[in-house]
Structures are given as C-alpha cells and as structure tokens.
Amino acid sequence: TKYIAHLDLDCFFVSVERVKNPALMGKPVVVGGSPGGRGVVASASYEARKFGVRSAMPTGQALRLCPHLIVVPGSHGEYGDYSDRLYKRICELAPVVERASIDEMNLDFTGCESLYGNNLPQFMRTIQKLVSDEFKLPCTIALASNKTVAKIAANTVKPNGVIFVPHGTEREFLAPLSIAAIPGIGKKTEEILKRKGFSLVADLQAIPEERTVEILGRHGSWIHAAANGGGSETIHPERTRKSISREETFSHDISDRAKLEKILFSLVEDVCASVRRKSWKTQTFSLKLRYADFKTITRAQTIEPSNDDAVVFRTVSELLQTAYTRNLAVRLIGVSLTNFIEETQTELALFPADRARAKMLDVVNKIRTKFGQDVIHVGGV
C-alpha cells in the first residue's frame, strides 16, 4: 500500500512577499509585471481571486477588476531560494521527495507508518505546522494512494487545508467532483466532454475505457484511469539542478545598450547569489536576447569556474556586445548559468586575494538575505 502526499504552497509568490512585508496580509495582492505594458499576473492572493483576478492575466486587466489591488514586482531568485530551503527541510521528514514545481512537492511515506505513530494523516498536519512555523508559509497537504488523487484532493481543500483519501475510497471521493478537477482536462477537453453530457467525474466512471478513448483518443485511457482513482505511484527524487537562469520581459522594447546592461547586471547578481548559496561555481554562461520581432538568439561561453558577479557580468556583457547586432529594439533579455562544480573543488587553487573576495561575496549574500537584493551591489575585481 502506497502513501503519497502532495504538498502545495498556497499562492506561493504572494506568501513570500507577505513574509517580507506583513502589511500585505489580508489584502488583495498580486506578484506580476507592470500594468503599463505586457505585464502579467504570476501569483494572486485569495483576496484578489474573489474579484476574478487569476494567474497569467494581464496586470492591467487585474487592476480593472480590482482597482485597489496591490501589485508587487517580485523577486524570482528569492522564491527559488525559499523553495530550495523548504525542499531540503522536507527531505529530512520523507524518505523520497519529488519537486513537481517551484511550489509543489510529492512525498512518499510508504513504509513510514510506524515511524510516525501509525497516523500519517495526523503527521500531515504536523508538516503543515512546521512549514508555517519555520518558513511562515501557508500550505495545503493531501495524502492518498497515488500522485494524481493526492493532487486532486489538495485542490479541494485549498488554501491551508489537510485531507486524507483512504485507500479503496478513491472512486467515491472523485465521483462528485467536476471533470475539470482531473489534471489533463483543460478547457478544450472539458468543452468536448460537456457537449457529450459529461460534467462530473461520476459520469466518466460510468462508461468503459473504450468509450473515453473513442471521444478523446489515446489521451482517453489516462483520463479514464484517473477518473477511477488511478495514478502514478512513482516518486522521482530531485537530481542536481542543470541550470540557474533569470530573464526579464520589458513593458516597452528597449534599444538603449546602457539600459540593457543595467538590467543584465541585476539579473547576473540574482543568479550568482543563487549559485553561491548552493556553494557552487559555474563554468558556462549564456545570454538570451529576444528582439521586438520575437526573433530569439542565445550566445554562450565557457571560462574558469566562478560565482563572482563581476566576472560573470564581464563575460555576459561581452556576449551582449557580439549578440546585439540588429538595428532593432529588444523585448527580453536573460542570463543562464550551467556546468556547475562544487566550490570546494576549486578552493585549493585560490590565491589569498581570491579567498578574500570569496569571503566578501559570502558576506554580500548574507546582507542581501537579511535586508533585500538591492541593498548592496558588487563592484569589479
């Protein structure tokens, strides 16, 4: 018998911003881009959702729906750091943890029943309290026999809920839910099924798999299994992260190279801080550039391992000089770091001046963690 938990951080980006600024508590808040251009909502508080505000909605539209909405630009580097720290903490409690996204995790507690007092449903509440106490973040946790049922169950008790679907009751639990509750049934599939007379999961449970496949094609087999309580029981532990990247889409296209370099420097600071927190260095730096006509180019370069803002910026700014060759404004710029090695692998080669700078960069990270990303910037070597 499998025990799979799904942990979902409620309106994660907004919740992190509320940790930083408690005055945002209880107010309609979104993390998103500028309302004056192409900005979209990345995360919306439940207070904002009451007005119809949703993720991926243009920020300008969100403000029209909710005029007193508070728009926070957000810092995706910080969200990644929160996610990383929480992931490491959860790995201390569950033998196998899979990060499904920046704000979702699947946990396998199979075989841990006696370890947690033969009451895993109650232990889910313990985990929820731990996330609240240690990270100040609200979360919803569902425990079930597989990942699909756990994810569906979590969505039924958000925000800040805990639920257990006992083994053998999956079909009964799913039956009264809307067909849209099943992952994989998007708007188009939902429309097709509703035209055929299917509105509840129970309606799908009442027909054979062959009929579901007849309506939806091969995708129908998976939908049929999910409607009847099936789902993957396999948890894939996280492997070493392959890249760390940040990018920014502008509200208005930019052709001023000085402005582009200023934005690029901010992105470099962000990714380098993330790399240093992991005690890594990176050897390959990539620049991403998207022109106003949507043509996108990338340039990469490999040098001696580094996590120094100045070194990385010098490299990617040189890439910018060689990449920005068209007489056309830019709508997006991004930087990506790959090819990581552990910092300790290079320490023996450091000269005294290098060690001093490495210590300085560590202090910079600590100051930014405490007071914010923009409180201090790093100069050249």
Side-chain angles (χ1 to χ4, degrees), residues 235-277:
I235 301 295
H236 301 281
E238 184 171 276
R239 291 168 174 77
T240 303
R241 195 169 176 181
K242 293 183 178 179
S243 69
I244 294 178
S245 60
R246 301 286 183 269
E247 60 184 43
E248 184 172 335
T249 301
F250 312 134
S251 57
H252 300 286
D253 299 335
I254 297 176
S255 56
D256 186 322
R257 289 178 183 267
K259 285 185 179 179
L260 290 174
E261 288 202 349
K262 184 177 179 181
I263 295 166
L264 187 60
F265 184 73
S266 175
L267 297 175
V268 166
E269 285 187 318
D270 207 351
V271 291
C272 284
S274 293
V275 171
R276 288 196 295 271
R277 288 189 188 97

Side-chain angles (χ1 to χ4, degrees), residues 69-297:
L69 186 69
I70 300 172
V71 181
V72 181
S75 173
H76 291 270
E78 285 190 76
Y79 307 147
D81 292 337
Y82 265 87
S83 180
D84 290 344
R85 289 192 290 113
L86 179 61
Y87 172 78
K88 289 177 182 177
R89 184 68 175 94
I90 296 300
C91 284
E92 298 172 5
L93 305 173
V96 187
V97 182
E98 170 187 75
R99 185 149 43 173
S101 67
I102 194 171
D103 58 354
E104 294 178 288
M105 300 178 198
N106 295 309
L107 296 67
D108 191 345
F109 286 101
T110 307
C112 298
E113 296 89 333
S114 60
L115 180 63
Y116 295 119
N118 291 308
N119 193 346
L120 286 176
Q122 181 57 41
F123 186 62
M124 298 303 103
R125 297 190 180 278
T126 301
I127 294 178
Q128 185 188 54
K129 186 175 186 302
L130 178 148
V131 175
S132 176
D133 291 347
E134 296 188 14
F135 295 88
K136 311 304 179 188
L137 297 173
C139 72
T140 295
I141 306 180
L143 182 67
S145 59
N146 61 66
K147 291 195 288 188
T148 303
V149 175
K151 182 175 176 63
I152 294 172
N155 287 332
T156 67
V157 294
K158 293 185 72 175
N160 210 35
V162 175
I163 186 172
F164 171 49
V165 180
H167 298 76
T169 69
E170 292 88 356
R171 291 184 85 254
E172 179 185 349
F173 168 75
L174 294 169
L177 301 180
S178 165
I179 56 173
I182 299 178
I185 295 186
K187 287 185 177 180
K188 290 185 178 179
T189 305
E190 183 182 3
E191 289 172 6
I192 292 170
L193 289 171
K194 284 190 172 180
R195 283 200 299 268
K196 300 284 186 179
F198 302 97
S199 58
L200 301 178
V201 176
D203 300 328
L204 291 174
Q205 293 175 348
I207 62 173
E209 179 182 349
E210 292 77 11
R211 174 61 176 148
T212 315
V213 173
E214 183 184 322
I215 298 169
L216 300 176
R218 287 182 298 175
H219 188 50
S221 292
W222 192 92
I223 296 296
H224 180 269
N228 285 278
S232 174
E233 300 175 351
T234 305
I235 301 295
H236 301 281
E238 184 171 276
R239 291 168 174 77
T240 303
R241 195 169 176 181
K242 293 183 178 179
S243 69
I244 294 178
S245 60
R246 301 286 183 269
E247 60 184 43
E248 184 172 335
T249 301
F250 312 134
S251 57
H252 300 286
D253 299 335
I254 297 176
S255 56
D256 186 322
R257 289 178 183 267
K259 285 185 179 179
L260 290 174
E261 288 202 349
K262 184 177 179 181
I263 295 166
L264 187 60
F265 184 73
S266 175
L267 297 175
V268 166
E269 285 187 318
D270 207 351
V271 291
C272 284
S274 293
V275 171
R276 288 196 295 271
R277 288 189 188 97
K278 295 176 180 295
S279 298
W280 290 350
K281 288 191 174 184
T282 179
Q283 300 174 90
T284 303
F285 316 104
S286 300
L287 173 80
K288 179 179 179 181
L289 206 63
R290 179 170 296 154
Y291 288 100
D293 62 358
F294 285 88
K295 181 179 179 180
T296 304
I297 61 172

Side-chain angles (χ1 to χ4, degrees), residues 57-70:
M57 174 182 288
T59 310
Q61 182 183 349
L63 280 166
R64 287 192 291 274
L65 290 171
C66 180
H68 56 294
L69 186 69
I70 300 172

Side-chain angles (χ1 to χ4, degrees), residues 31-36 38-42 59-60 71-73:
V31 171
S34 167
R38 304 185 183 98
V40 296
V41 172
T59 310
V71 181
V72 181

Side-chain angles (χ1 to χ4, degrees), residues 321-346:
Q321 297 305 316
T322 58
Y324 190 17
T325 57
R326 301 176 66 198
N327 187 24
L328 192 64
V330 173
R331 61 177 284 119
L332 175 149
I333 195 167
V335 62
S336 177
L337 309 185
T338 56
N339 199 6
F340 301 115
I341 62 172
E342 295 291 335
E343 200 167 25
T344 51
Q345 292 179 240
T346 62

